[in-house]
Amino acid sequence: YNSKDDNCDGVTDEGWVCGVPDVANDACSSAQYLGYIGDKSKDVLTYIGVANIPSDKDWIYFMAVDEPELLIDTYSVSVSISSPNDMFVFDVCKFDCGIANKVATGVTNYTDDSNTMIDDSKNYYIVIYLRNPNVESHCAAYQLKLSNGTQ
């Protein structure tokens, strides 16, 4: 706490910089699990977050499931983020958060159409962060949309 009204709500240091609690998902090891997303059912998940401080990073992960299908494989993972002025971007890692598994860096959209008629199920780890951590309005929210299945 810095004895200031960081979120301009008239209250000095009430503990939440942006008026919302910070989720403890600042590292890969504490990534927040969002569940599984099936391709046959064309599942869609939405995650809403905020950067409580400029250097805040939010890690989430989900399991994209390649459900059994006949003759056609609809596995198609899509991740997109929306935020004011495209302030937020994300990185994507497949399987785990190892640097060798990073498949996208600093993007606002990602698609994996690796449908191979075999089981393509895997975990995707996403880290969301401010494109420019020196911006003043770090309390802006973002919305992350996760989907699987040819839409």
Side-chain angles (χ1 to χ4, degrees):
Y1 305 109
N2 60 10
S3 300
K4 295 181 181 178
D5 179 13
D6 291 312
N7 62 355
C8 303
D9 67 353
V11 179
T12 302
D13 277 345
E14 66 270 23
W16 299 340
V17 176
C18 295
V20 295
D22 188 22
V23 177
N25 62 348
D26 296 337
C28 177
S29 60
S30 58
Q32 184 176 356
Y33 179 62
L34 300 183
Y36 74 91
I37 304 173
D39 64 341
K40 188 174 173 182
S41 51
K42 297 181 180 164
D43 290 338
V44 176
L45 290 176
T46 301
Y47 180 82
I48 297 172
V50 67
N52 280 304
I53 58 174
S55 61
D56 192 15
K57 292 185 178 185
D58 291 341
W59 282 86
I60 59 102
Y61 75 103
F62 63 96
M63 167 68 108
V65 178
D66 191 0
E67 298 166 316
E69 299 166 288
L70 294 175
L71 304 176
I72 186 167
D73 191 351
T74 61
Y75 186 88
S76 179
V77 173
S78 178
V79 180
S80 62
I81 194 167
S82 58
S83 63
N85 301 316
D86 289 331
M87 291 171 56
F88 289 91
V89 293
F90 60 87
D91 299 350
V92 180
C93 296
K94 289 184 186 179
F95 306 106
D96 62 36
C97 6
I99 192 73
N101 293 320
K102 189 177 281 191
V103 293
T105 303
V107 297
T108 57
N109 291 288
Y110 170 78
T111 301
D112 181 1
D113 287 323
S114 61
N115 47 11
T116 59
M117 296 305 290
I118 59 171
D119 187 359
D120 293 305
S121 300
K122 64 184 74 71
N123 284 326
Y124 288 83
Y125 284 78
I126 313 290
V127 58
I128 304 109
Y129 54 93
L130 285 165
R131 181 187 306 268
N132 177 0
N134 297 318
V135 297
E136 293 296 321
S137 57
H138 61 271
C139 287
Y142 63 83
Q143 181 173 323
L144 194 70
K145 180 182 174 188
L146 315 163
S147 63
N148 187 8
T150 307
Q151 301 294 320

PDB file of all heavy atoms in Angstrom, residues 9 19-20 23 25 29 47 60 62 69-70 88 92 96 103 107 111 114 126:
ATOM      1  N   ASP A   9     -11.299   6.215  -6.264  1.00  0.00           N
ATOM      2  CA  ASP A   9     -12.664   6.023  -5.773  1.00  0.00           C
ATOM      3  C   ASP A   9     -12.931   6.798  -4.480  1.00  0.00           C
ATOM      4  O   ASP A   9     -13.964   6.627  -3.852  1.00  0.00           O
ATOM      5  CB  ASP A   9     -12.970   4.543  -5.578  1.00  0.00           C
ATOM      6  CG  ASP A   9     -12.159   3.903  -4.460  1.00  0.00           C
ATOM      7  OD1 ASP A   9     -11.247   4.562  -3.899  1.00  0.00           O
ATOM      8  OD2 ASP A   9     -12.427   2.735  -4.143  1.00  0.00           O
ATOM      9  N   GLY A  19     -10.133  -1.900  -7.539  1.00  0.00           N
ATOM     10  CA  GLY A  19     -11.489  -2.107  -7.055  1.00  0.00           C
ATOM     11  C   GLY A  19     -11.952  -3.549  -7.144  1.00  0.00           C
ATOM     12  O   GLY A  19     -13.082  -3.863  -6.821  1.00  0.00           O
ATOM     13  N   VAL A  20     -11.092  -4.433  -7.602  1.00  0.00           N
ATOM     14  CA  VAL A  20     -11.400  -5.863  -7.654  1.00  0.00           C
ATOM     15  C   VAL A  20     -10.215  -6.627  -7.071  1.00  0.00           C
ATOM     16  O   VAL A  20      -9.079  -6.174  -7.159  1.00  0.00           O
ATOM     17  CB  VAL A  20     -11.675  -6.355  -9.099  1.00  0.00           C
ATOM     18  CG1 VAL A  20     -12.917  -5.716  -9.659  1.00  0.00           C
ATOM     19  CG2 VAL A  20     -10.492  -6.084 -10.003  1.00  0.00           C
ATOM     20  N   VAL A  23      -6.538 -12.005  -8.644  1.00  0.00           N
ATOM     21  CA  VAL A  23      -6.527 -13.458  -8.641  1.00  0.00           C
ATOM     22  C   VAL A  23      -5.076 -13.913  -8.552  1.00  0.00           C
ATOM     23  O   VAL A  23      -4.201 -13.354  -9.225  1.00  0.00           O
ATOM     24  CB  VAL A  23      -7.197 -14.000  -9.936  1.00  0.00           C
ATOM     25  CG1 VAL A  23      -7.138 -15.510  -9.984  1.00  0.00           C
ATOM     26  CG2 VAL A  23      -8.623 -13.499 -10.032  1.00  0.00           C
ATOM     27  N   ASN A  25      -2.859 -15.701  -9.877  1.00  0.00           N
ATOM     28  CA  ASN A  25      -2.452 -16.464 -11.063  1.00  0.00           C
ATOM     29  C   ASN A  25      -1.350 -15.724 -11.822  1.00  0.00           C
ATOM     30  O   ASN A  25      -1.357 -15.664 -13.036  1.00  0.00           O
ATOM     31  CB  ASN A  25      -3.659 -16.723 -11.969  1.00  0.00           C
ATOM     32  CG  ASN A  25      -4.303 -15.455 -12.510  1.00  0.00           C
ATOM     33  OD1 ASN A  25      -4.017 -14.345 -12.070  1.00  0.00           O
ATOM     34  ND2 ASN A  25      -5.180 -15.619 -13.474  1.00  0.00           N
ATOM     35  N   SER A  29       3.015 -21.573 -12.594  1.00  0.00           N
ATOM     36  CA  SER A  29       2.781 -22.578 -11.547  1.00  0.00           C
ATOM     37  C   SER A  29       1.473 -22.350 -10.796  1.00  0.00           C
ATOM     38  O   SER A  29       0.952 -23.263 -10.160  1.00  0.00           O
ATOM     39  CB  SER A  29       3.950 -22.589 -10.563  1.00  0.00           C
ATOM     40  OG  SER A  29       4.083 -21.306  -9.955  1.00  0.00           O
ATOM     41  N   TYR A  47     -13.330 -15.458 -20.227  1.00  0.00           N
ATOM     42  CA  TYR A  47     -12.635 -15.107 -18.991  1.00  0.00           C
ATOM     43  C   TYR A  47     -12.432 -13.598 -18.985  1.00  0.00           C
ATOM     44  O   TYR A  47     -11.953 -13.030 -19.969  1.00  0.00           O
ATOM     45  CB  TYR A  47     -11.277 -15.819 -18.931  1.00  0.00           C
ATOM     46  CG  TYR A  47     -10.484 -15.514 -17.700  1.00  0.00           C
ATOM     47  CD1 TYR A  47     -10.736 -16.186 -16.508  1.00  0.00           C
ATOM     48  CD2 TYR A  47      -9.484 -14.550 -17.707  1.00  0.00           C
ATOM     49  CE1 TYR A  47     -10.006 -15.905 -15.360  1.00  0.00           C
ATOM     50  CE2 TYR A  47      -8.742 -14.269 -16.567  1.00  0.00           C
ATOM     51  CZ  TYR A  47      -9.017 -14.946 -15.403  1.00  0.00           C
ATOM     52  OH  TYR A  47      -8.295 -14.672 -14.271  1.00  0.00           O
ATOM     53  N   ILE A  60      -3.692 -18.445 -17.259  1.00  0.00           N
ATOM     54  CA  ILE A  60      -4.830 -19.363 -17.237  1.00  0.00           C
ATOM     55  C   ILE A  60      -4.458 -20.562 -18.107  1.00  0.00           C
ATOM     56  O   ILE A  60      -3.537 -20.488 -18.920  1.00  0.00           O
ATOM     57  CB  ILE A  60      -6.141 -18.701 -17.737  1.00  0.00           C
ATOM     58  CG1 ILE A  60      -6.005 -18.165 -19.179  1.00  0.00           C
ATOM     59  CG2 ILE A  60      -6.556 -17.566 -16.830  1.00  0.00           C
ATOM     60  CD1 ILE A  60      -6.640 -19.070 -20.179  1.00  0.00           C
ATOM     61  N   PHE A  62      -6.409 -24.249 -20.061  1.00  0.00           N
ATOM     62  CA  PHE A  62      -7.590 -25.053 -20.313  1.00  0.00           C
ATOM     63  C   PHE A  62      -7.178 -26.269 -21.131  1.00  0.00           C
ATOM     64  O   PHE A  62      -6.119 -26.287 -21.759  1.00  0.00           O
ATOM     65  CB  PHE A  62      -8.675 -24.250 -21.046  1.00  0.00           C
ATOM     66  CG  PHE A  62      -8.286 -23.780 -22.418  1.00  0.00           C
ATOM     67  CD1 PHE A  62      -8.634 -24.510 -23.548  1.00  0.00           C
ATOM     68  CD2 PHE A  62      -7.562 -22.607 -22.586  1.00  0.00           C
ATOM     69  CE1 PHE A  62      -8.262 -24.082 -24.810  1.00  0.00           C
ATOM     70  CE2 PHE A  62      -7.198 -22.161 -23.847  1.00  0.00           C
ATOM     71  CZ  PHE A  62      -7.544 -22.904 -24.966  1.00  0.00           C
ATOM     72  N   GLU A  69     -15.254 -38.257 -33.482  1.00  0.00           N
ATOM     73  CA  GLU A  69     -16.173 -37.905 -34.560  1.00  0.00           C
ATOM     74  C   GLU A  69     -15.931 -38.852 -35.741  1.00  0.00           C
ATOM     75  O   GLU A  69     -14.819 -39.326 -35.929  1.00  0.00           O
ATOM     76  CB  GLU A  69     -15.949 -36.461 -35.006  1.00  0.00           C
ATOM     77  CG  GLU A  69     -16.195 -35.461 -33.892  1.00  0.00           C
ATOM     78  CD  GLU A  69     -15.656 -34.085 -34.207  1.00  0.00           C
ATOM     79  OE1 GLU A  69     -14.424 -33.930 -34.193  1.00  0.00           O
ATOM     80  OE2 GLU A  69     -16.463 -33.200 -34.480  1.00  0.00           O
ATOM     81  N   LEU A  70     -16.926 -39.061 -36.546  1.00  0.00           N
ATOM     82  CA  LEU A  70     -16.796 -39.895 -37.737  1.00  0.00           C
ATOM     83  C   LEU A  70     -16.536 -39.040 -38.962  1.00  0.00           C
ATOM     84  O   LEU A  70     -17.217 -38.040 -39.179  1.00  0.00           O
ATOM     85  CB  LEU A  70     -18.076 -40.708 -37.957  1.00  0.00           C
ATOM     86  CG  LEU A  70     -18.396 -41.769 -36.901  1.00  0.00           C
ATOM     87  CD1 LEU A  70     -19.748 -42.400 -37.189  1.00  0.00           C
ATOM     88  CD2 LEU A  70     -17.300 -42.823 -36.851  1.00  0.00           C
ATOM     89  N   PHE A  88      -4.219  -5.040 -24.058  1.00  0.00           N
ATOM     90  CA  PHE A  88      -3.742  -6.341 -23.588  1.00  0.00           C
ATOM     91  C   PHE A  88      -3.404  -7.263 -24.757  1.00  0.00           C
ATOM     92  O   PHE A  88      -4.064  -7.241 -25.786  1.00  0.00           O
ATOM     93  CB  PHE A  88      -4.800  -7.014 -22.707  1.00  0.00           C
ATOM     94  CG  PHE A  88      -4.979  -6.365 -21.380  1.00  0.00           C
ATOM     95  CD1 PHE A  88      -5.918  -5.355 -21.218  1.00  0.00           C
ATOM     96  CD2 PHE A  88      -4.220  -6.744 -20.284  1.00  0.00           C
ATOM     97  CE1 PHE A  88      -6.096  -4.741 -19.985  1.00  0.00           C
ATOM     98  CE2 PHE A  88      -4.394  -6.135 -19.054  1.00  0.00           C
ATOM     99  CZ  PHE A  88      -5.326  -5.133 -18.910  1.00  0.00           C
ATOM    100  N   VAL A  92       0.857 -17.846 -25.960  1.00  0.00           N
ATOM    101  CA  VAL A  92       0.254 -19.173 -25.910  1.00  0.00           C
ATOM    102  C   VAL A  92       1.350 -20.226 -25.861  1.00  0.00           C
ATOM    103  O   VAL A  92       2.319 -20.165 -26.628  1.00  0.00           O
ATOM    104  CB  VAL A  92      -0.622 -19.442 -27.160  1.00  0.00           C
ATOM    105  CG1 VAL A  92      -1.244 -20.840 -27.104  1.00  0.00           C
ATOM    106  CG2 VAL A  92      -1.686 -18.384 -27.321  1.00  0.00           C
ATOM    107  N   ASP A  96       2.416 -27.367 -21.829  1.00  0.00           N
ATOM    108  CA  ASP A  96       2.821 -26.790 -20.541  1.00  0.00           C
ATOM    109  C   ASP A  96       3.401 -25.410 -20.824  1.00  0.00           C
ATOM    110  O   ASP A  96       3.375 -24.943 -21.944  1.00  0.00           O
ATOM    111  CB  ASP A  96       3.815 -27.691 -19.796  1.00  0.00           C
ATOM    112  CG  ASP A  96       5.121 -27.905 -20.550  1.00  0.00           C
ATOM    113  OD1 ASP A  96       5.608 -26.956 -21.220  1.00  0.00           O
ATOM    114  OD2 ASP A  96       5.665 -29.009 -20.483  1.00  0.00           O
ATOM    115  N   VAL A 103       3.989 -21.027 -28.714  1.00  0.00           N
ATOM    116  CA  VAL A 103       3.611 -21.010 -30.129  1.00  0.00           C
ATOM    117  C   VAL A 103       3.134 -19.637 -30.595  1.00  0.00           C
ATOM    118  O   VAL A 103       2.938 -19.428 -31.789  1.00  0.00           O
ATOM    119  CB  VAL A 103       2.536 -22.079 -30.430  1.00  0.00           C
ATOM    120  CG1 VAL A 103       3.128 -23.476 -30.264  1.00  0.00           C
ATOM    121  CG2 VAL A 103       1.312 -21.887 -29.558  1.00  0.00           C
ATOM    122  N   VAL A 107       0.184 -11.541 -28.978  1.00  0.00           N
ATOM    123  CA  VAL A 107      -0.886 -11.543 -29.983  1.00  0.00           C
ATOM    124  C   VAL A 107      -2.239 -11.193 -29.357  1.00  0.00           C
ATOM    125  O   VAL A 107      -2.410 -11.216 -28.138  1.00  0.00           O
ATOM    126  CB  VAL A 107      -0.976 -12.909 -30.694  1.00  0.00           C
ATOM    127  CG1 VAL A 107       0.320 -13.204 -31.454  1.00  0.00           C
ATOM    128  CG2 VAL A 107      -1.293 -14.029 -29.715  1.00  0.00           C
ATOM    129  N   THR A 111      -5.134 -19.152 -33.429  1.00  0.00           N
ATOM    130  CA  THR A 111      -5.925 -20.297 -33.871  1.00  0.00           C
ATOM    131  C   THR A 111      -5.012 -21.487 -34.083  1.00  0.00           C
ATOM    132  O   THR A 111      -3.916 -21.353 -34.629  1.00  0.00           O
ATOM    133  CB  THR A 111      -6.662 -19.985 -35.194  1.00  0.00           C
ATOM    134  OG1 THR A 111      -7.501 -18.854 -34.986  1.00  0.00           O
ATOM    135  CG2 THR A 111      -7.513 -21.160 -35.643  1.00  0.00           C
ATOM    136  N   SER A 114      -4.990 -27.823 -35.880  1.00  0.00           N
ATOM    137  CA  SER A 114      -4.200 -29.037 -36.089  1.00  0.00           C
ATOM    138  C   SER A 114      -5.048 -30.299 -36.011  1.00  0.00           C
ATOM    139  O   SER A 114      -4.731 -31.232 -35.302  1.00  0.00           O
ATOM    140  CB  SER A 114      -3.057 -29.099 -35.078  1.00  0.00           C
ATOM    141  OG  SER A 114      -3.568 -29.125 -33.763  1.00  0.00           O
ATOM    142  N   ILE A 126      -2.118 -19.814 -21.312  1.00  0.00           N
ATOM    143  CA  ILE A 126      -2.204 -18.448 -21.832  1.00  0.00           C
ATOM    144  C   ILE A 126      -1.735 -17.495 -20.735  1.00  0.00           C
ATOM    145  O   ILE A 126      -2.177 -17.602 -19.589  1.00  0.00           O
ATOM    146  CB  ILE A 126      -3.661 -18.075 -22.198  1.00  0.00           C
ATOM    147  CG1 ILE A 126      -4.341 -19.178 -23.013  1.00  0.00           C
ATOM    148  CG2 ILE A 126      -3.732 -16.717 -22.865  1.00  0.00           C
ATOM    149  CD1 ILE A 126      -3.840 -19.356 -24.399  1.00  0.00           C
TER     150      ILE A 126
END
